[in-house]
Amino acid sequence: KYSTHWILEPRAGIVLSPVRRLDTKIPNEDTADFEYDVNKLFLPNRLPGLDVMDTGQRANYGLNLEGYNPEKLKLKAFVGQSYSFSKTNGFANRSGVQKGKSDYLGRFQLSPHPWLDVYSDFRWHHKTLGVKRNLTTLRVGPSILNASINYLQVDDFFENNAYTNRPQISGSINSQFADNWGVFAGGARQLKPL
């Protein structure tokens, strides 16, 4: 009988920088589409571009869980959050970043077989735990020929409500038939009408 090895890893970090006021003379052209996710949680500057800066003091923390066994079962999970001590920031109201606790960020990956993967990347509201963003992917098959299906739900993505609660589903068929060559075909469909 195979045993599974578990790794539980707490992560934490502190970011300290002077608080800068927003310069209204500089138009915000390169940070308007900011998306708060796990990849940005521990970055010193979570905002892309130079028009708006991520300033102030905050603590970042999270918990990482990984499990492995000789049958090639692989499980990875992470949940994290940040706490801002600054009264102001350069983030939009619906970004998930505000004074005090940010929204919860998480990622989950399960690979029970080399030809099967389930992946989820999500953001939950810090008070209600309501889903603010969810991307879930299922992939089946070896690299020579595999298929994947994705479900994306984004709530309140932009300030002007241009992309409010529009779930969509997409899929693709992929083939990596040589080391440097591959083909794929795919499509996407919105699940709610405009």
Side-chain angles (χ1 to χ4, degrees):
K1 186 177 180 180
Y2 295 115
S3 61
T4 303
H5 301 280
W6 296 97
I7 300 171
L8 188 62
E9 175 191 22
R11 295 185 63 191
I14 296 177
V15 177
L16 304 172
S17 71
V19 177
R20 298 181 191 160
R21 294 184 179 217
L22 294 176
D23 189 347
T24 56
K25 296 177 183 177
I26 300 174
N28 182 10
E29 297 177 344
D30 59 6
T31 61
D33 62 347
F34 170 76
E35 187 175 358
Y36 191 42
D37 60 20
V38 171
N39 296 324
K40 296 180 181 74
L41 179 60
F42 288 97
L43 293 178
N45 182 14
R46 296 170 290 186
L47 288 168
L50 301 172
D51 292 342
V52 180
M53 299 300 292
D54 184 6
T55 65
Q57 302 82 40
R58 71 179 185 274
N60 306 312
Y61 45 89
L63 192 62
N64 196 53
L65 172 68
E66 296 186 14
Y68 304 92
N69 72 21
E71 292 181 310
K72 298 187 179 179
L73 169 69
K74 183 169 60 175
L75 170 72
K76 292 183 179 182
F78 175 83
V79 174
Q81 187 182 43
S82 69
Y83 187 93
S84 175
F85 300 97
S86 304
K87 293 181 180 179
T88 61
N89 64 41
F91 296 92
N93 291 333
R94 295 185 177 99
S95 67
V97 180
Q98 58 274 325
K99 181 180 183 290
K101 295 178 182 179
S102 73
D103 285 351
Y104 291 101
L105 303 174
R107 181 174 287 165
F108 174 82
Q109 181 180 1
L110 175 64
S111 301
H113 188 276
W115 293 0
L116 178 62
D117 288 309
V118 179
Y119 174 85
S120 182
D121 193 322
F122 56 85
R123 177 166 66 92
W124 295 333
H125 191 272
H126 64 287
K127 289 183 179 177
T128 66
L129 297 182
V131 177
K132 305 304 283 181
R133 181 180 46 78
N134 175 28
L135 171 62
T136 301
T137 300
L138 172 66
R139 183 193 63 83
V140 180
S143 59
I144 188 66
L145 183 64
N146 62 77
S148 65
I149 188 166
N150 309 294
Y151 173 78
L152 174 65
Q153 176 193 350
V154 179
D155 186 27
D156 295 340
F157 191 70
F158 289 122
E159 279 294 292
N160 61 5
N161 289 327
Y163 294 96
T164 300
N165 196 14
R166 286 185 175 181
Q168 78 171 22
I169 191 166
S170 63
S172 65
I173 297 174
N174 312 277
S175 177
Q176 182 80 36
F177 57 85
D179 287 341
N180 298 313
W181 292 91
V183 294
F184 82 96
R189 181 165 182 86
Q190 186 173 306
L191 298 179
K192 282 189 176 181
L194 292 172

